[in-house]
Amino acid sequence: MNKVAIVTGVNGQDGSYLSELLLEKGYTVVGLRRRSSSEKGLERIEHLLNNKNFKLVEADITDSGCVNGLFQEFMPDEVYNLAAQSHVGTSFKQPSYTCQVNIQGPINFLESIRLVSPSTKFYQASTSEMFGKNYEQMGNTKYQRETTAFVPQSPYAVAKLAAHEMVRIYRDSYGLFACCGILFNHESERRGENFVTRKITKWIGEFYHWKNQIDSQLHDNETDNDYILKISSELLGGDNRVTEKFPKLRLGNLNAHRDWGHAQDYVDAMYRMLQQNTPEDYVIATSETYSVRDFLTEAFNEIGIKNFEPYVVIDPEFYRPCEVDWLLGNTTKARKQLGWRPKITFQELVQRMVRSDIDAARKTKLERSSI
Ligand code: NAP
Ligand code: G4F
């Protein structure tokens, strides 16, 4: 008999990669997706829909009756709770909603496991955002580990911390196999478009084709000087727009540091946590940190641009009321106990994201031109 795993947030970035991994390992995956008025939003899991071991089920994690029903129907061996209002910036604008999904959701699962299926193992998607402003320091290295105190800086982080503590309480009080992955930022070609990395690479993908078009309109007999004049009037014309046709990239704080890994590596850590003999929480990270500015530099380098500044506008709209300045995870525990380590480097991550968005923009352009 296949093991059965419920994956919430299955059509999100992590849900899609985790489902692939579990299917490869021979699981039956019950993927939960909340109701939507359109079929859009299944792009990340389209390739799984015909897999006989994959079942897509409509469910909202804030509905306790609905969650309870899932246990009666599927009696899962493992539950991975990835569903969340996952955008930190949005959580300042929608704090109550964020709490409802990010706290009530995991409580519904913990209660159902306690009452209906106490042998089910539970994974909760905790986050490095819970550390907020806090870090430890050894020599010049500032880092966070499992025992670093949490000082959350956003409604999102507060809600995730409440869920994190709830998991601990259910584990200690009722002996459930429930654990949390304290995951640092992880990105991919499937990252949501309003997170900073994907926002940057998507812009670059579209810009790349626009720039090529401008380049192709230049005449062979133009001198280098003509070229520079032409491209700068096309690209940099106007105060805050590249041209009327191609807006500049608008971003907020470029100085925040994040420990960025690839989501494919991180879902493997989630799986490993539920295969242990005892439930424990783990920090999962690359142990390298880069600023948003570093990410921009690396991403623009991919298309041969050394200085991104002429193409970017700093827009206060994207600043947060409270910021997390420094994240760098110490993964000694995960490396030792889970045998986990990341395989994809920061440079590979950026390269994969930029190349994928260049391809995606090419396809969109071709589709448009064939209409
Ligand atoms: P994501 O792409 O935003 O996916 C979140 C998923 O949750 C989406 O599929 C969303 O559905 C679903 N969802 C939201 N509210 C729901 C509800 N009420 N009922 C059912 N489903 C609901 O996020 P991700 O990057 O894959 O992250 C996965 C989890 O890890 C999240 O809990 C996130 O907070 C946490 N986390 C992420 C990172 C990171 O860097 N990626 C780091 C630490 C922790 P829709 O598509 O309908 O919106
Ligand atoms: O990409 P971000 O929105 O990710 P953030 O806030 O670090 O949160 C992500 O990672 C967490 C783990 O630490 C997850 F728990 C959470 O679910 C999510 O996946 O922002 C990264 C940094 C921030 O400092 C932000 O202020 O980029 C800065 N930033 C600058 N300009 C921007 C922008 N962020 C966004 N989203 N959009 C901008 O235009």
Side-chain angles (χ1 to χ4, degrees), residues 11-14 34 60 82 84 86 156 160 183 186 191:
N11 55 322
Q13 172 188 258
D14 292 4
R34 64 178 161 174
D60 195 305
L82 310 182
S86 67
Y156 168 80
K160 282 286 185 177
L183 269 53
H186 45 282
R191 184 57 145 153

Side-chain angles (χ1 to χ4, degrees), residues 213-257:
Q213 209 173 356
I214 298 283
D215 286 353
S216 69
Q217 288 159 9
L218 296 172
H219 300 298
D220 287 345
N221 58 356
E222 275 175 327
T223 63
D224 282 358
N225 252 354
D226 291 336
Y227 175 80
I228 289 163
L229 269 177
K230 182 160 185 170
I231 199 99
S232 57
S233 66
E234 288 283 351
L235 288 174
L236 310 177
D239 195 23
N240 57 2
R241 294 169 80 85
V242 170
T243 69
E244 284 309 311
K245 287 183 220 144
F246 207 92
K248 285 189 181 185
L249 172 58
R250 308 186 80 85
L251 295 173
N253 179 14
L254 305 190
N255 297 322
H257 279 72

Side-chain angles (χ1 to χ4, degrees), residues 168-227:
R168 179 181 58 77
I169 286 167
Y170 272 69
R171 181 169 64 213
D172 293 350
S173 309
Y174 309 116
L176 301 189
F177 192 112
C179 61
C180 302
I182 307 171
L183 269 53
F184 284 58
N185 296 52
H186 45 282
E187 320 291 309
S188 73
E189 302 86 318
R190 300 182 191 170
R191 184 57 145 153
E193 291 173 10
N194 59 1
F195 296 95
V196 76
T197 55
R198 186 74 201 291
K199 186 172 166 182
I200 293 168
T201 60
K202 184 161 192 285
W203 187 94
I204 289 180
E206 287 162 5
F207 171 75
Y208 175 83
H209 294 292
W210 179 86
K211 183 176 172 298
N212 278 352
Q213 209 173 356
I214 298 283
D215 286 353
S216 69
Q217 288 159 9
L218 296 172
H219 300 298
D220 287 345
N221 58 356
E222 275 175 327
T223 63
D224 282 358
N225 252 354
D226 291 336
Y227 175 80

Side-chain angles (χ1 to χ4, degrees), residues 9 34 49 56 91 109 138 150 152 164 183 192 206 212 222 276 308 318 320 327:
R34 64 178 161 174
L49 297 176
L56 185 63
S91 79
F109 279 99
M138 191 186 288
F150 299 121
H164 185 83
L183 269 53
E206 287 162 5
N212 278 352
E222 275 175 327
Q276 301 305 298
F308 66 78
F318 299 107
R320 292 177 183 166
L327 290 175

Side-chain angles (χ1 to χ4, degrees), residues 129-135 144 151-153 322-325:
E129 277 290 311
M130 300 185 309
F131 296 117
K133 275 214 170 316
N134 203 19
Y135 53 79
Q144 290 94 1
V151 187
Q153 295 294 304
C322 238
E323 181 60 281
V324 171
D325 297 320

